[in-house]
Structures are given as structure tokens and as C-alpha cells.
């Protein structure tokens, strides 16, 4: 295996970096195009709102705040930490038939599942980045508990958060979602295949080898004893990051108490760096990938989280459009440049918590 940082000192790779080149995503078996130096091209297109409007600690019109009425008429309890409920507009529902039909090239199957919404905090004006370690730790515990519970009945448990209007979040109240379903979705299939293939030939976990190769390298953004955050070598979104436990763990419920605590710490630091990068509440989609359930061999799988923020500059988002939709993903700054910028942004909140 290549030594840590090896590729970055390799002369052939250094020549590649300055010009358009493609990088291989070992986790999904896909290639992406890197065209460094295009970030300064003139932009007269859409500008994203800064998302800096100050929210109140409690919003009587919010369907996620404690005590308020939801769209289905239910009253939220007066919760004081986290709160989980079944999505009133669930995209997947328990008891759906999983029957398959196939006629010629046309194939379909029923998809059974469950969708939950998780409020991270009773405070309408909070974000994970601004919450206390103990509060985020409770979110981690809920992610793990929901995974465990939904995994008894569903094959794939997708924990995620859409943060900010730019990512389609319907409400600023800090919340995430959990969708669990009977099938392996597209991204899961790609990662399952790649990790199994790698484990089959090496006997090791792909992402643990990746962590060993990247630790101390130029793509590291954050690290502690249990976790590593890198802008992956193959990142597609401008400031995409990958968070991986440094020791074997296939799913969230396997994490012990110290790893959950240090996860809460590193999450806050990472998300704060994002906020401080452009001085705004950074929009993103994040989510966990963990070993599928109802399959015996979890050994090839290493738990990890993807952070996929859309912004390229403060008010300009990266559009994954023509070439990206029709050919392959393309990025305008190198993963190393993105990691450098994130390392340059403070991991500490600038001032007292708003409304606190
Ligand atoms: P997003 O902000 O990521 O869309 O998540 C909010 C979810 O909350 C969304 O999936 C659900 C929506 O269906 N929701 C309810 O379940 N009840 C409500 O009263 C409004 C929103
Ligand atoms: Zn609210």
C-alpha cells in the first residue's frame, strides 16, 4: 500500500494536479473531472440568500417546536432535548407490498419502509454547529437507537439532514430525517459492491485503508483519537467531506460511549468550520452510510458520514447540471485547496450563541 501522503509527493501526480484531470472514487467505482482554476470565472447567475435571518428561540408557527401542532393535527410534546416522530408525509410506509413485476424491459417493485423526523433541539434557533457537546451527543445516541430499531425490520437505514434553504430544508428548526427501506438504494449498492470487492481481495476494509493513507495528509480537515475528517481525494461537491471512525465500526449502534462523545465534538468543529468559511450558516446535506441489515457479512463495511454542501463561494452554489448530469461529476477547485480553506476557517464559534 502507498505510504501516507505518498501520492501528494509523487511528481507525476503533481504534474496532473495543475491541469484538468480525473480522479477515481474508490468507494463508488466512479470517476470525476477536476478542472482547477475555474472558480474565478465571472458569475452573473443565481445568488444564494445568506441565510442569516435571526430566528426566534421559539416560533409559534413552527411545526417542529415543542407543544406546536403538526400538519396532521398532532401536538408535539413539550420535549426538552430530542424528539422523534413518524413523518406525516412519509415517502416509505410500513406494510407496503414488495411485489415485483417485470414485462420485457419494464420492471418495478413495491418498496416498504418507514420515515421519521428527528428534532435535534427544542430550540428553533439552534444548529448542530452551535449546540453543546452533550446535546449533540444525544442526537448521536438517537441516530444509533433509531438505526438499531429500524434495522430489525428494514434493509437500509438512511440517517440524514438537509440543512438550509439551498438544500431544500423545509424549516430552519434543527432537524434531520431517517428513512428506512426494504431495498438497497443506488448509493448503497455502489458502496456495498466496492467495499465487498476490496475486502474480498485484501481482507481489509477499504475505508480503514483509506484513513490510514490520508491521515496527516493535505486533505485532512479535522482529526481526533476516534475520527478523521477529510475532503475525499475524489470529492465531487466543492467542500464535500467524509467523516470516518479510525477503528472498525460497521454501524452507528456499535460505537461506544467515548467514540460517541468524540463524534459530537468533531461534528461541532467541522460544522463550525463550514459556517466560518464564508461567515454564514452553511447549507449542506449530510448523512450516514452503514452496513445494510438482513445480510450476514458486515465485515467489509466501515461506517462513515458524507457532508455534501452545495456552495462554491459565499452566495454562489455549484450547479451539478449539463456535463455533470450527462457525463460525469466535475469540480472547480482541487480537494487539497478545499481542505486548505476549511483548515483556515476557525472551528470555534465567533461569539455568544444567538438568543442564548
Ligand atoms: P426537511 O426539512 O428535510 O424536508 O424535513 C422535514 C420533514 O418533516 C419533511 O419530510 C415532515 C416533512 O414531510 N413534516 C411532518 O412530518 N409534519 C409536519 O407537520 C410538517 C413537516
Ligand atoms: Zn421550531
Amino acid at each position: 500500500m502507498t505510504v501516507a501522503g505518498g501520492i501528494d509527493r509523487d511528481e507525476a501526480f503533481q504534474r496532473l494536479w495543475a491541469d484538468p484531470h480525473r480522479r477515481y472514487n474508490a468507494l463508488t467505482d466512479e470517476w470525476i473531472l477536476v478542472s482547477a482554476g475555474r472558480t474565478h470565472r465571472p458569475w452573473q447567475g443565481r445568488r444564494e440568500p445568506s441565510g442569516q435571518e435571526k430566528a426566534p428561540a421559539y416560533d409559534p408557527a413552527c411545526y417542529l417546536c415543542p407543544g406546536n401542532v403538526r400538519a396532521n393535527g398532532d401536538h408535539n410534546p413539550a420535549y426538552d432535548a430530542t424528539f422523534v416522530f413518524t413523518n406525516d408525509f412519509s415517502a416509505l410506509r410500513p406494510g407496503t407490498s414488495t411485489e415485483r413485476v417485470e414485462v420485457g424491459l419494464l420492471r418495478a417493485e413495491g418498496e416498504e419502509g418507514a420515515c421519521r423526523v428527528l428534532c435535534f433541539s427544542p430550540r428553533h434557533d439552534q444548529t448542530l454547529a452551535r449546540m453543546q457537546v452533550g446535546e449533540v451527543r444525544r442526537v448521536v445516541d438517537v441516530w444509533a437507537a433509531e438505526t438499531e430499531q429500524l434495522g430489525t425490520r428494514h434493509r437500509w437505514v438512511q440517517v440524514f439532514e438537509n440543512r438550509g434553504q439551498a438544500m431544500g430544508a423545509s424549516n430552519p428548526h434543527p432537524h434531520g430525517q431517517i428513512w428506512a427501506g426494504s431495498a438497497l438504494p443506488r448509493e448503497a449498492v455502489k458502496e456495498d459492491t466496492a467495499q465487498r470487492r476490496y475486502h474480498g481481495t485484501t481482507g481489509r476494509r477499504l475505508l480503514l485503508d483509506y484513513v490510514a493513507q490520508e491521515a496527516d495528509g493535505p486533505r485532512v480537515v479535522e482529526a481526533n483519537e476516534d475520527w478523521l475528517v477529510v475532503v475525499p481525494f475524489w470529492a465531487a461537491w466543492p467542500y464535500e467531506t467524509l467523516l470516518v471512525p479510525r477503528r472498525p465500526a460497521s454501524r452507528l449502534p456499535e460505537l461506544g460511549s467515548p467514540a460517541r462523545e468524540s463524534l459530537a465534538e468533531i461534528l461541532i468543529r467541522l460544522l463550525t468550520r463550514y459556517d466560518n468559511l464564508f461567515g454564514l450558516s452553511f447549507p449542506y446535506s449530510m448523512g450516514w452510510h452503514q452496513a445494510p441489515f438482513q445480510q450476514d457479512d458486515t465485515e467489509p463495511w466501515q461506517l462513515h458520514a458524507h457532508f455534501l454542501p452545495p456552495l462554491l463561494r459565499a452566495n454562489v452554489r455549484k450547479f451539478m447540471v449539463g456535463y455533470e448530469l450527462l457525463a460525469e461529476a466535475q469540480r472547480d477547485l482541487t480537494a487539497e485547496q478545499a481542505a486548505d480553506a476549511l483548515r483556515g476557517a476557525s472551528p470555534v464559534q465567533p461569539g455568544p450563541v444567538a438568543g442564548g
Side-chain angles (χ1 to χ4, degrees):
M1 218 183 88
T2 323
V3 292
I7 197 169
D8 302 287
R9 288 195 296 270
D10 187 301
E11 276 179 33
F13 275 109
Q14 279 178 9
R15 281 196 301 277
L16 277 183
W17 277 189
D19 289 320
H21 62 278
R22 294 168 83 221
R23 294 191 187 190
Y24 178 66
N25 183 338
L27 188 56
T28 58
D29 190 22
E30 292 169 316
W31 288 82
I32 72 131
L33 175 63
V34 184
S35 333
R38 290 181 78 242
T39 43
H40 297 300
R41 70 187 193 281
W43 182 260
Q44 296 183 328
R46 181 184 156 88
R47 301 229 154 231
E48 299 299 317
S50 65
Q52 288 300 71
E53 313 80 49
K54 202 166 165 292
Y58 166 77
D59 177 357
C62 169
Y63 50 77
L64 298 179
C65 275
N68 289 3
V69 183
R70 290 210 311 278
N72 71 344
D74 281 2
H75 278 263
N76 296 329
Y79 64 98
D80 60 9
T82 57
F83 168 52
V84 184
F85 63 92
T86 297
N87 197 312
D88 301 316
F89 308 93
S90 293
L92 298 163
R93 292 191 296 272
T96 307
S97 155
T98 54
E99 190 186 355
R100 287 167 169 242
V101 287
E102 191 170 342
V103 181
L105 284 170
L106 309 187
R107 200 190 294 183
E109 61 188 21
E111 173 74 353
E112 194 267 341
C115 294
R116 292 183 183 163
V117 179
L118 158 61
C119 298
F120 297 150
S121 162
R123 284 264 307 259
H124 187 81
D125 60 345
Q126 275 295 16
T127 65
L128 283 178
R130 293 195 301 241
M131 285 161 60
Q132 303 300 309
V133 173
E135 297 170 329
V136 176
R137 159 70 198 262
R138 253 178 283 177
V139 173
V140 170
D141 287 339
V142 176
W143 284 338
E146 289 293 320
T147 297
E148 179 119 65
Q149 211 232 334
L150 289 162
T152 60
R153 279 173 292 117
H154 308 286
R155 187 148 173 236
W156 184 251
V157 179
Q158 185 59 63
V159 173
F160 66 99
E161 177 192 8
N162 296 320
R163 157 102 212 124
Q165 286 176 10
M167 288 315 280
S170 57
N171 183 327
H173 195 112
H175 68 282
Q177 299 193 46
I178 305 160
W179 292 19
S182 51
L184 271 197
R186 182 197 62 206
E187 294 301 315
V189 169
K190 288 191 282 190
E191 293 194 358
D192 190 59
T193 306
Q195 291 184 95
R196 269 176 208 293
R197 194 193 304 122
Y198 189 86
H199 192 264
T201 51
T202 65
R204 300 188 304 266
R205 292 186 185 189
L206 188 157
L207 280 181
L208 284 179
D209 277 2
Y210 181 61
V211 160
Q213 190 169 352
E214 291 289 50
D216 307 325
R219 285 168 292 278
V220 173
V221 175
E222 273 291 337
N224 63 26
E225 206 188 308
D226 305 307
W227 299 88
L228 187 74
V229 180
V230 293
V231 175
F233 178 73
W234 51 74
W237 292 94
Y239 293 96
E240 172 176 344
T241 54
L242 179 69
L243 165 66
V244 192
R246 306 175 87 139
R247 281 182 281 275
S250 299
R251 297 179 185 132
L252 285 163
E254 287 170 35
L255 298 174
S257 188
R260 292 181 186 205
E261 199 79 10
S262 59
L263 171 57
E265 286 165 8
I266 207 165
L267 272 172
I268 291 170
R269 288 176 63 88
L270 172 64
L271 296 176
T272 304
R273 282 185 192 275
Y274 276 136
D275 286 355
N276 288 334
L277 182 62
F278 298 139
L280 47 84
S281 189
F282 212 67
Y284 58 83
S285 274
M286 70 78 66
W288 289 97
H289 282 159
Q290 37 191 341
F293 289 89
Q294 296 165 14
Q295 87 186 24
D296 303 333
D297 188 14
T298 60
E299 198 39 47
W301 263 89
Q302 180 70 354
L303 169 74
H304 59 279
H306 297 277
F307 294 82
L308 309 167
L311 293 187
L312 185 58
R313 291 185 251 153
N315 300 104
V316 177
R317 65 177 291 156
K318 162 74 183 173
F319 284 97
M320 291 283 188
V321 284
Y323 192 82
E324 289 86 348
L325 291 178
L326 294 158
E328 67 190 8
Q330 178 271 342
R331 60 183 287 119
D332 300 312
L333 73 166
T334 63
E336 297 71 40
Q337 289 168 330
D340 206 47
L342 284 169
R343 278 195 307 267
S346 169
V348 182
Q349 289 296 326
V353 175

